Amino acid sequence: MIIKPRKFPIAIKKLKAIQGRLAQSHPKYEIISENIAKRVSGYKGEQSLDYHLSFLDEKTFHIIHDVRLFDGKHYFQIDTLILSRKFIYLVEVKNITGTLFFDNQFNQLIRTQNNTKEAFPDPLIQVERQCNQLNKWLKLHKFKNLQIKDFIVISSPRTILDTFPNNEKIHQKVIHSAKLPFKIKYFEESQEKNLLTENQLNKLSKLISEKHTPGNTDFLTFYNISGDELQKGVICSQCTKLPMDIIRGQWICNYCHFISKNAHLAAIEDYSLLISNDITNAQIRMFLKIPSIYMANKILTTLKVNFTGKNKGRVYHLDFDSRIQNY
Ligand SMILES: [Zn+2]
């Protein structure tokens, strides 16, 4: 059963919010676009694993997607954990196309595509580090003598895998996604003894979900972009230009003449992703380019979010994860 489903990554939402508000001529526009493309491709790769995982028995396996834990010193992130009473399966998903050569002598991964060679960090080292950190975390939480099996799952069936002859470790650990349920079945059948009781397994998967701490990178700081460099206003969802004008409660695009009643929601979400979850009337007027206090007040009130303070000092607490998305 799926204990923790995969959600659309907040990092992609944040980066897209920045991209949508940077002029295309901005020096950081391209690097941010590349970062988005890389992350979207990774997310698609992870999603494509779901079909193959659906072949695992619901009762036997607990599936936890996209988990970030603290080992006492560092945070570590794991794409998918699959727990049974016998093993913990740690899965790192790579969505890399072309021909991949795993070089275990220099610890690098070389991709060849369209006659171009490109080096990637060695995923075997990455999963080894993740295993060490997970082991440390398990000990920290009094789970001892558990066995972790780690895999690097290549999500595209068209990716060609290659390595030096007799590089057994690669053959064991690097697999195409369709192979994963069979590998797990093999390990489950090869071991008779259960290391966890049903109760302990439930406790462990619950604990991992509870201790999950989502990453919260401030990409504006990371890319050294100041708030002033972001273009303000409500973005037109049809032609992506800004700002839209508000006329009698409707947002109108000056370029493609698209009309929307709730185009401001995406702009408020941008504010919450990039600036703060708290917003005042003055701040929303500036960020959304709303001409009057009265209009801004109407918009803030219809959001039906919690607020504190009175009059000019009133602060609205945005909550896009639950309330506003259902609005
Ligand atoms: Zn437009």
Side-chain angles (χ1 to χ4, degrees), residues 235-242 244 252-259:
I235 299 174
C236 170
S237 63
Q238 295 297 299
C239 71
T240 72
K241 291 198 169 82
L242 81 179
M244 291 178 98
I252 298 168
C253 176
N254 287 312
Y255 300 91
C256 74
H257 310 295
F258 177 67
I259 297 173

Side-chain angles (χ1 to χ4, degrees), residues 16-27:
K16 281 192 167 175
I18 298 176
Q19 185 199 38
R21 291 183 176 278
L22 281 186
Q24 285 195 14
S25 56
H26 191 281

Side-chain angles (χ1 to χ4, degrees), residues 22-32 223 225 229:
L22 281 186
Q24 285 195 14
S25 56
H26 191 281
K28 302 281 167 60
Y29 188 87
E30 203 167 315
I31 196 170
I32 287 172
Y223 284 115
I225 297 169
E229 291 170 74

Side-chain angles (χ1 to χ4, degrees), residues 134-146:
L134 182 59
N135 263 321
K136 202 172 158 191
W137 186 91
L138 289 164
K139 277 184 197 141
L140 215 68
H141 294 88
K142 313 274 181 268
F143 282 92
K144 283 176 187 157
N145 306 318
L146 297 184

